[in-house]
């Protein structure tokens, strides 16, 4: 079946470096994508979103890139900080019969080395 | 800042017992969701709810599950006869709209079925 997946399950980066977390999706009907951050023992926290009519969106220290040709999504974190250590999920918003539902990837664990 | 709250934070129950997980969505949100996350796995959609009825449900959400909005603030998930495999984190989420709208997640309830 169609699903959202992640290329790298773990990523370790030095504090201050940039981080790139990748995600592949296969549902061409998805029109909205979200990156969530999940710290241990907490619920997913929204980071940034992007609609399918865009290929790039920037937030504070974060950028999401969408390549619809290859169905690829990435999250770039600039000047990674220890507080960025968490599991990052990409999710696609798929319109079901009655409403939208989020389909999450498995997640990438980001570890920031001080 | 408004947030989704969930109670209890941890629920331990015996197999076959009924449990009710409670959520208070953000007050001006109209769409409500339940997700679950089995330890070490991805977040999975269970059900969405709008205008006092289910909008969408996944294959996981079988007859053992039900949702209710008993009053103007609470949103509950009931599992009638728990099974060992129901052990997971259960997240409630809410959104103001259903397309291109961020879903805000609560901190989760950890359900342990013995």
């Amino acid at each position: 079946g169609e699903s959202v997946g992640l290329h790298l399950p773990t990523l370790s980066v030095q504090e201050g470096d940039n981080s790139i977390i990748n995600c592949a999706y296969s549902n061409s009907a998805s029109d909205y994508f979200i990156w969530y951050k999940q710290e241990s023992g907490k619920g997913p926290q929204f980071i940034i979103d992007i609609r399918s009519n865009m290929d790039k969106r920037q937030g504070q220290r974060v950028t999401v890139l969408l390549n619809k040709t290859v169905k690829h999504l990435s999250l770039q974190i600039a000047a990674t900080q220890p507080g960025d250590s968490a599991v990052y999920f990409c999710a696609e918003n798929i319109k079901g019969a009655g409403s939208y539902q989020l389909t999450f990837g498995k997640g990438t664990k980001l570890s920031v080395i001080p | 800042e408004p947030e989704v709250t969930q109670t209890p934070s941890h629920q331990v129950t015996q197999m076959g017992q009924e449990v009710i997980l409670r959520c208070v969505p953000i007050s001006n949100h109209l769409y409500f969701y339940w997700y679950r996350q089995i330890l070490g796995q991805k977040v999975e959609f269970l059900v969405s709810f709008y205008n006092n009825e289910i909008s969408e449900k996944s294959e996981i959400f079988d007859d053992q599950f039900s949702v209710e909005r008993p009053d103007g603030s609470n949103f509950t998930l009931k599992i009638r006869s728990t099974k060992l495999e129901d052990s997971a984190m259960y997240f409630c989420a809410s959104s103001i709209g259903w397309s291109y709208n961020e879903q805000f997640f609560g901190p989760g309830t950890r359900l342990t079925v013995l």
Side-chain angles (χ1 to χ4, degrees), chain B residues 4-18:
Chain B
V4 177
T5 59
Q6 291 185 242
T7 54
S9 58
H10 191 188
Q11 175 85 48
V12 182
T13 189
Q14 295 291 324
M15 188 171 56
Q17 295 296 304
E18 174 183 287

Side-chain angles (χ1 to χ4, degrees), chain B residues 8 12 25 41 67 87 98 113:
Chain B
V12 182
Q41 299 187 22
V67 289
S87 295
W98 62 271
V113 182

Side-chain angles (χ1 to χ4, degrees), chain A residues 10-29:
Chain A
T10 60
L11 178 66
S12 295
V13 297
Q14 287 290 139
E15 181 178 357
D17 286 352
N18 296 335
S19 302
I20 300 176
I21 301 172
N22 296 302
C23 175
Y25 68 95
S26 57
N27 192 330
S28 57

Side-chain angles (χ1 to χ4, degrees), chain A residues 7-54:
Chain A
H7 294 307
L8 297 173
T10 60
L11 178 66
S12 295
V13 297
Q14 287 290 139
E15 181 178 357
D17 286 352
N18 296 335
S19 302
I20 300 176
I21 301 172
N22 296 302
C23 175
Y25 68 95
S26 57
N27 192 330
S28 57
S30 297
D31 61 356
Y32 180 52
F33 303 88
I34 310 103
W35 280 101
Y36 282 92
K37 172 186 180 183
Q38 187 178 26
E39 297 174 286
S40 180
K42 297 184 179 180
Q45 178 187 0
F46 174 90
I47 300 173
I48 193 167
D49 60 359
I50 188 167
R51 298 190 188 190
S52 60
N53 61 353
M54 303 171 68

Side-chain angles (χ1 to χ4, degrees), chain A residues 2 4 27 29-34 36 90-104, chain B residues 31-35 43-49 54-61 93 95 97-101 103 105:
Chain A
E2 295 184 318
V4 176
N27 192 330
S30 297
D31 61 356
Y32 180 52
F33 303 88
I34 310 103
Y36 282 92
C90 65
E92 59 182 316
N93 212 350
I94 301 172
K95 185 179 185 300
S99 69
Y100 278 82
Q101 58 178 275
L102 289 177
T103 296
F104 282 81
Chain B
Y31 293 82
F32 314 114
Y33 313 83
W34 282 101
Y35 292 82
V43 177
E44 300 174 288
F45 170 79
L46 292 178
V47 66
S48 59
F49 190 88
I54 291 174
S55 298
E56 193 75 30
K57 59 183 181 180
S58 71
E59 293 176 351
I60 302 168
F61 195 88
S95 64
W98 62 271
S99 61
Y100 310 124
N101 280 275
Q103 292 183 23
F105 282 75

